[in-house]
Amino acid sequence: MTTERVRKRRLRQVRAVWQVPGTPGRTHDAVGGWCTTGLVVRGRPDGLHGYDLETGEPRWSWIAPDRRLLLAMSRTAASGVGLAVHADENGPGEWAADSAVTAVSTEDGNAVWSVPYDFSNEPWRYDYDRFAGAIALTPDRAVVLAQGSPTAYALRSGKAVWPPIAPLKGDGRLAVCGDAIVQTGLADGHVTVRCLDASEGTVRWEVRLPTDGPVGEVHVLHENPLAVLCLGKGRRAEEILMVLDGEDGRPTARIPVQGLHGELRVQSPYGLLDDQPVAAVQDLLVAMVRPPGTYGDHLTAFALDGGTPRWTWRSKGTISGVFALGENVVAVSKWESSEGPDGSVHVHQLDGATGAVMTVRRLHGYQAGMRGRYYLDEDRRLVRIARWGEGTWHPVQMFRLR
């Protein structure tokens, strides 16, 4: 079989098995999304909406009570439960301090429990993208961060289960690493990371990150292993991606945002609505990279121990997202040339150890290459939860990669 025939077979187009139709109006932008067994959930300002993963048929809807606005969702759902933050809207971009965190069942969309959440003293109370950092979820705990102090609730009953924990100074956020809750705090240019036992709330370790200068922003880009992005404060400040050991918080790798590998495409705050900029596979952290003077993105794999580059793959386009599938890496990219994008969206599956291309598929429709969250399960069902859902934009799509 000739190389050209193999290439044509690999690049055969894959059409969407189903896609949710867009709806007129401005209130259908995504707040977040979950993909669980047999179900995909998309959040929008009015509430949560669940669809059957195989057929796309609507399964249930949970509408935020009292015409409240859904502000954020937990990054994932766990043990059949997900978290939602909702509040009254006083005006455009302004929310009443009297809000709530509700645990919602992914099985039927019913509220399991709800607790009030007062963020009136939070410095970011009008920052829409920050609410997701105030909640975290493990298989048996829901954790809410208020004024730097985390409070944990039993996932099924909503009963508070931790003793009071001293607040961590500065601007804080929550993440999950294995069976632990991770809290970051940024104060006076210094970053502190604290690891809490999810069951008991005891402090496993607390470290101050060894940065070479003051930090202006901190973001957790990957939860397990823990990869923390520190953006420097000032024009000459260093910007670095740091990998921490989950057992003691010791930095195992320091990867500069600007280096011989080019520029890591991680400088914007990546949240629930954005594409994944990094993925972990085997003993590597795979990151989206833009080499200087090029129009295409690369994927570069860095060793979790030491940060040494192991392999690089060039996408010949703009990478929309990267995630791990077993011991392999999957990248979604928009095909581009020096003249710009041509509307082709490719899904590459790479060998995680070497970066070698194993399979390639082309998604039908340029829309699939826009911003969104991608999930690929063991049955080769690729789900895209889109940021937009108005008019001709499909808020959810499912492709079967064969």
Side-chain angles (χ1 to χ4, degrees), residues 38-124:
L39 183 75
V40 55
V41 179
R42 184 178 186 268
R44 64 189 197 194
D46 67 337
L48 307 175
H49 302 271
Y51 304 92
D52 186 275
L53 184 57
E54 182 64 26
T55 66
E57 292 295 320
R59 290 259 296 269
W60 54 257
S61 291
W62 174 83
I63 304 302
D66 303 323
R67 296 186 61 83
R68 287 185 168 189
L69 187 71
L70 181 66
L71 300 179
M73 302 165 56
S74 54
R75 186 176 183 86
T76 60
S79 302
V81 175
L83 297 182
V85 182
H86 49 101
D88 291 330
E89 187 175 25
N90 290 335
E94 296 184 3
W95 304 282
D98 182 19
S99 65
V101 175
T102 297
V104 179
S105 169
T106 59
E107 296 178 2
D108 51 21
N110 291 327
V112 180
W113 51 264
S114 186
V115 294
Y117 177 42
D118 182 4
F119 59 89
S120 57
N121 293 322
E122 300 287 2
W124 46 265

Side-chain angles (χ1 to χ4, degrees), residues 3 31 53 84 94 116 122 130 141 148 171 173 189 204 206 216 224 240 245 257 274 317 325 340 386 390 392 397:
T3 302
V31 175
L53 184 57
E94 296 184 3
E122 300 287 2
R130 294 298 305 281
R141 294 287 184 263
D171 181 16
R173 301 187 187 187
R204 292 184 177 178
E206 184 173 315
N224 191 22
I240 196 164
D245 188 303
V257 171
D274 299 294
L325 181 67
E390 176 188 357
T392 60
Q397 296 174 301

Side-chain angles (χ1 to χ4, degrees), residues 117-235:
Y117 177 42
D118 182 4
F119 59 89
S120 57
N121 293 322
E122 300 287 2
W124 46 265
R125 60 186 178 276
Y126 296 134
D127 186 348
Y128 185 91
D129 291 331
R130 294 298 305 281
F131 287 92
I135 54 177
L137 200 63
T138 69
D140 61 351
R141 294 287 184 263
V143 184
V144 179
L145 183 67
Q147 284 79 59
S149 181
T151 300
Y153 303 91
L155 194 59
R156 286 294 176 180
S157 67
K159 179 182 177 181
V161 292
W162 285 356
I165 296 178
L168 193 62
K169 185 180 178 182
D171 181 16
R173 301 187 187 187
L174 295 178
V176 177
C177 184
D179 62 348
I181 296 291
V182 173
Q183 181 183 358
T184 61
L186 174 61
D188 302 322
H190 300 289
V191 180
T192 301
V193 182
R194 180 163 65 182
C195 180
L196 302 168
D197 183 277
S199 297
E200 301 177 357
T202 54
V203 178
R204 292 184 177 178
W205 50 262
E206 184 173 315
V207 298
R208 189 171 181 176
L209 297 190
T211 56
D212 294 333
V215 176
E217 294 182 47
V218 59
H219 306 281
V220 176
L221 293 191
H222 200 279
E223 293 189 324
N224 191 22
L226 192 62
V228 180
L229 173 67
C230 297
L231 299 181
K233 186 177 183 180
R235 302 180 69 178

Side-chain angles (χ1 to χ4, degrees), residues 336-394:
E336 292 188 16
S337 66
S338 57
E339 287 77 30
D342 70 354
S344 299
V345 182
H346 292 165
V347 180
H348 288 79
Q349 183 172 343
L350 313 177
D351 183 286
T354 65
V357 176
M358 300 173 63
T359 60
V360 186
R361 293 294 181 266
R362 179 177 176 179
L363 303 186
H364 181 267
Y366 180 73
Q367 185 186 73
M370 309 312 289
R371 294 175 70 176
R373 275 284 176 181
Y374 290 88
Y375 304 86
L376 182 62
D377 65 11
E378 295 180 353
D379 294 327
R380 312 292 293 175
R381 294 178 295 194
L382 179 72
V383 175
R384 170 181 172 257
I385 300 177
R387 172 180 285 267
W388 299 288
E390 176 188 357
T392 60
W393 294 101
H394 297 290

